[in-house]
Amino acid sequence: MGISERKQRQLEQVRSAILAQSWQIVEDEGWDALSIRRIADAIEYSTPVVYKHFESKEAIRSAFSKEGYALLADRLHQAKKTHDRPTDQLMSLSNAYWTFAEEHPKYYQIMYGLGIPTCDMVRETREIMQVSTVFHQTIEAAIKESKQPDADVHLKAMTFWSILHGLVAMTMVSPGDPKTAKLILEDAVAGFIKALAS
Amino acid sequence: MGISERKQRQLEQVRSAILAQSWQIVEDEGWDALSIRRIADAIEYSTPVVYKHFESKEAIRSAFSKEGYALLADRLHQAKKTHDRPTDQLMSLSNAYWTFAEEHPKYYQIMYGLGIPTCDMVRETREIMQVSTVFHQTIEAAIKESKQPDADVHLKAMTFWSILHGLVAMTMVSPGDPKTAKLILEDAVAGFIKALAS
DNA sequence: TTACTTTTGCTGACAGTGTTAACTTTTATG
DNA sequence: CATAAAAGTTAACACTGTCAGCAAAAGTAA
């Protein structure tokens, strides 16, 4: 009796309208400009309708955070494919990471925005894991090929990730020349890879 | 006619009361809990009085950011003194940096909080520079003693800073075991120093 | 078709927020 | 003491997240 299917579809439509309009607001005016009332205005519904789909504003932010991690994971996977040697893959990963942050700063901002209650991040864990796994696997392979195969994978993976994030975050709070920023990134990653391989 | 001096003193008193009470609120309940009305309540004045001393809420945040950078710079200077060899100093600096972030997370959060309009940071530049300078000078000395004295100081200093910040930020958004976090830091910094010295 | 039920959506409110204009009280000076 | 200046207050504007309660529409059963 396809009637409830249609309802389901309409619900989905509203939900994705919320996300679409929210994203427009964020891209145009930044995260601070995003409010439930503005979303409601944009989708031409009243405010409580938004709460039918997202239990809070934080839930909307969380949804975008998940989206961001998924997108980043995808970019990383693609970047990894372009090379076979693990050390080259690491270089490629760092490039993709940087490019992602540069192209989607709004995503990066919620993904790593400080002040997020850590418990709320549980729902995003799946997507974060996808990113984490790419790093772990590549690092693991790199370690196996290196001259010190007993190095701690988790430790090295976190170090790698931290270096990447550190640079992205630094250039976001005090943006200088993007080219020098990328130079710094390459320098840091090269140093890391060298320390890993030798 | 010490009368205007007394007034000046009273003004200063209110100003520091604002800062003191604000800090209490932040330490107790986090940055989100800080509002002009709550500050006014705490200092037992009406809200516009707060605006006599700070032109906006952002100005109060900025003041704490400056304080944070000044405190960090102090800690870094003290840490540097404990060693003579530049490479040892770098290790000491990274330790001090980490300890600062661990002991004063509320400071670190405004200092590096994302989403801050970059123009508002101009007023904090002096204090940021003090931190930046410690890094630059130590790195410069380390480079001079190294086997590649033509390395770019600015680039290496930024790399160093980014590594430190990356790790602090990562453990703040997804806090794991602090001990492993510190291990990661030491691993990363050791790698950096090695790459620099060799 | 009518009566009933469920879903859907809206209005309006509560308790907050940053910020400021206009007013009152206090204080210092001629 | 009157007057001018400084200090401090109230009350408002335009917002915010969130939700209880009500009206309207849609689906179901007789």
Side-chain angles (χ1 to χ4, degrees):
Chain A
M1 53 159 61
I3 196 162
S4 66
E5 275 90 333
R6 192 208 62 208
K7 281 203 170 182
Q8 195 64 37
R9 233 171 21 237
Q10 283 179 337
L11 273 200
E12 288 290 340
Q13 222 166 331
V14 173
R15 196 194 135 94
S16 62
I18 292 175
L19 290 175
Q21 296 294 338
S22 294
W23 192 243
Q24 184 119 21
I25 295 171
V26 169
E27 281 282 28
D28 290 354
E29 299 165 64
W31 282 104
D32 285 346
L34 186 66
S35 80
I36 305 286
R37 278 177 177 80
R38 286 206 54 183
I39 296 170
D41 269 16
I43 63 171
E44 296 178 300
Y45 276 100
S46 63
T47 38
V49 171
V50 179
Y51 285 92
K52 282 260 144 79
H53 298 269
F54 297 93
E55 64 175 342
S56 70
K57 189 181 175 179
E58 186 53 44
I60 297 175
R61 281 220 213 79
S62 182
F64 283 117
S65 186
K66 280 174 69 171
E67 247 184 59
Y69 276 109
L71 185 59
L72 174 58
D74 179 64
R75 292 292 145 84
L76 292 179
H77 276 120
Q78 287 190 356
K80 189 176 174 177
K81 275 191 219 151
T82 59
H83 290 84
D84 287 333
R85 297 216 328 266
T87 49
D88 292 338
Q89 287 177 335
L90 285 176
M91 208 71 218
S92 185
L93 284 180
S94 83
N95 257 300
Y97 193 94
W98 174 261
T99 306
F100 171 81
E102 204 180 25
E103 285 176 357
H104 309 287
K106 296 285 151 57
Y107 268 129
Y108 204 89
Q109 281 164 20
I110 4 128
M111 288 161 68
Y112 292 91
L114 300 180
I116 292 177
T118 49
C119 291
D120 290 14
M121 286 186 70
V122 182
R123 258 170 291 177
E124 299 156 24
T125 306
R126 259 175 70 104
E127 280 75 11
I128 296 180
M129 281 297 282
Q130 290 180 358
V131 171
S132 170
T133 304
V134 183
F135 289 144
H136 269 83
Q137 289 177 345
T138 317
I139 293 276
E140 192 171 21
I143 287 178
K144 275 208 186 115
E145 285 198 355
S146 78
K147 283 152 195 164
Q148 46 205 46
D150 54 338
D152 186 333
V153 176
H154 175 67
L155 194 141
K156 290 291 179 185
M158 280 301 285
T159 304
F160 185 67
W161 197 350
S162 293
I163 291 173
L164 298 185
H165 172 61
L167 243 142
V168 169
M170 289 286 282
T171 52
M172 271 191 175
V173 294
S174 66
D177 179 20
K179 284 202 176 178
T180 37
K182 198 154 191 185
L183 268 181
I184 295 170
L185 178 74
E186 274 159 17
D187 177 58
V189 172
F192 171 81
I193 293 175
K194 206 173 167 186
L196 195 74
S198 67
Chain B
M1 54 159 60
I3 194 162
S4 67
E5 276 88 335
R6 193 209 61 208
K7 280 204 171 182
Q8 196 63 38
R9 232 170 24 237
Q10 284 179 337
L11 273 200
E12 287 289 341
Q13 222 167 327
V14 173
R15 197 194 134 94
S16 61
I18 291 175
L19 290 176
Q21 297 293 340
S22 294
W23 192 243
Q24 185 120 18
I25 294 170
V26 169
E27 281 281 28
D28 290 353
E29 300 164 63
W31 283 103
D32 286 345
L34 187 66
S35 81
I36 305 286
R37 279 177 177 81
R38 287 207 53 182
I39 296 170
D41 269 16
I43 63 171
E44 296 178 301
Y45 276 99
S46 63
T47 38
V49 170
V50 178
Y51 285 91
K52 282 259 144 80
H53 299 269
F54 297 93
E55 64 175 343
S56 70
K57 188 181 176 178
E58 186 53 42
I60 297 175
R61 281 219 212 79
S62 181
F64 283 117
S65 186
K66 281 173 69 171
E67 249 184 56
Y69 277 109
L71 185 59
L72 174 58
D74 179 66
R75 292 292 145 85
L76 292 179
H77 277 120
Q78 286 190 358
K80 188 176 175 176
K81 273 191 220 151
T82 60
H83 291 84
D84 287 333
R85 297 217 326 268
T87 50
D88 292 339
Q89 287 178 336
L90 285 177
M91 209 71 219
S92 185
L93 284 180
S94 82
N95 257 300
Y97 194 94
W98 173 263
T99 306
F100 171 81
E102 203 180 25
E103 285 176 359
H104 310 287
K106 297 284 150 59
Y107 268 129
Y108 205 88
Q109 282 164 19
I110 4 128
M111 288 160 69
Y112 291 92
L114 300 180
I116 293 177
T118 50
C119 291
D120 289 13
M121 286 187 71
V122 182
R123 259 170 291 177
E124 300 155 23
T125 307
R126 259 175 71 102
E127 279 75 10
I128 296 180
M129 280 299 280
Q130 290 180 358
V131 171
S132 169
T133 304
V134 184
F135 289 143
H136 269 84
Q137 289 177 345
T138 316
I139 293 276
E140 190 171 22
I143 286 177
K144 275 207 186 115
E145 287 198 356
S146 78
K147 284 153 196 164
Q148 48 206 44
D150 54 337
D152 186 334
V153 177
H154 175 67
L155 193 141
K156 291 290 179 185
M158 281 300 285
T159 305
F160 185 66
W161 197 349
S162 293
I163 291 173
L164 298 185
H165 171 62
L167 243 141
V168 169
M170 290 286 282
T171 53
M172 270 191 175
V173 294
S174 66
D177 180 20
K179 284 200 174 178
T180 36
K182 198 154 190 185
L183 267 182
I184 294 169
L185 177 73
E186 274 158 19
D187 177 57
V189 172
F192 171 81
I193 293 175
K194 206 175 168 185
L196 195 74
S198 68

